[in-house]
């Protein structure tokens, strides 16, 4: 009986400490499990759209000549089938002041999904903060 009470207390304690899944929780994407967390967010995006996400990576800019559009990303590199592949999210361009290419930044933003146009379904972050950092993490994870 004593072991049962201890086990019950442990279960209740751990359950109380777990995230309740509220949209107010910040999803921290760490360096060690960066690839796994990114894949989980993309594959299970309905669980994450509307939630705040925080991670660090390289600030990258991509210019699309056919339309003249500029796209901004915060990425890290991973090994893929064809060599190095970037992993990260596109940033909503509203109000972005670009950083130098490959600057190490921390991004905090709300995940959203585009719902119309040619890019419908694209996941991107609506920026809350975008800060350049001096200390760099691993560019290749």
């Amino acid at each position: 009986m004593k072991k049962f009470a201890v086990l019950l207390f442990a279960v209740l304690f751990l359950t109380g400490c777990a995230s309740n899944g509220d949209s107010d929780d910040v999803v921290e994407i760490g360096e060690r499990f960066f690839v796994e967390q990114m894949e989980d967010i993309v594959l299970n995006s309905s669980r994450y759209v509307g939630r705040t996400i925080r991670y660090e990576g390289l600030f990258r800019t991509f210019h699309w000549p056919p339309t003249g559009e500029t796209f901004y990303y915060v990425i890290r590199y991973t090994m893929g089938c064809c060599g190095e592949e970037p992993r990260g999210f596109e940033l909503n361009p509203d109000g972005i002041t670009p950083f130098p290419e490959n600057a190490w930044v921390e991004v905090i933003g709300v995940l959203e999904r585009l719902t119309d146009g040619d890019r419908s379904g694209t996941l991107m972050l609506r920026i809350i903060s975008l800060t350049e950092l001096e200390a760099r993490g691993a560019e290749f994870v």
Side-chain angles (χ1 to χ4, degrees):
M1 183 68 172
K2 191 175 190 178
K3 287 182 184 178
F4 177 76
V6 171
L7 180 62
L8 180 61
F9 175 77
V11 169
L12 291 173
F13 177 77
L14 292 174
T15 304
C17 292
S19 170
N20 60 10
D22 290 344
S23 61
D24 293 337
D25 296 337
V26 175
V27 178
E28 300 271 344
I29 301 176
E31 190 166 276
R32 185 170 181 187
F33 295 105
F34 188 86
V35 174
E36 292 84 355
Q37 286 180 281
M38 281 288 178
E39 285 183 13
D40 184 55
I41 292 169
V42 170
L43 293 173
N44 300 295
S45 60
S46 62
R47 295 183 195 164
Y48 294 95
V49 168
R51 294 188 65 191
T52 301
I53 296 178
R54 178 204 164 277
Y55 69 99
E56 295 179 13
L58 298 163
F59 183 85
R60 298 300 308 264
T61 303
F62 177 73
H63 300 284
W64 184 244
T67 63
E69 291 177 279
T70 300
F71 301 95
Y72 303 102
Y73 299 86
V74 174
I75 59 116
R76 290 186 185 211
Y77 290 102
T78 66
M79 184 54 76
C81 65
C82 302
E84 292 181 6
E85 293 181 359
R87 296 276 175 120
F89 291 111
E90 181 179 343
L91 307 178
N92 186 306
D94 296 343
I96 284 186
T97 302
F99 287 98
E101 198 69 6
N102 295 316
W104 193 259
V105 299
E106 174 191 70
V107 62
I108 302 172
V110 176
L111 189 66
E112 55 186 28
R113 182 189 330 270
L114 297 179
T115 57
D116 57 294
D118 294 340
R119 301 186 62 229
S120 180
T122 299
L123 294 173
M124 68 170 41
L125 290 180
R126 179 167 301 281
I127 297 171
I128 294 171
S129 73
L130 184 61
T131 309
E132 188 170 8
L133 304 174
E134 287 186 31
R136 295 175 80 87
E139 295 177 13
F140 190 88
V141 289

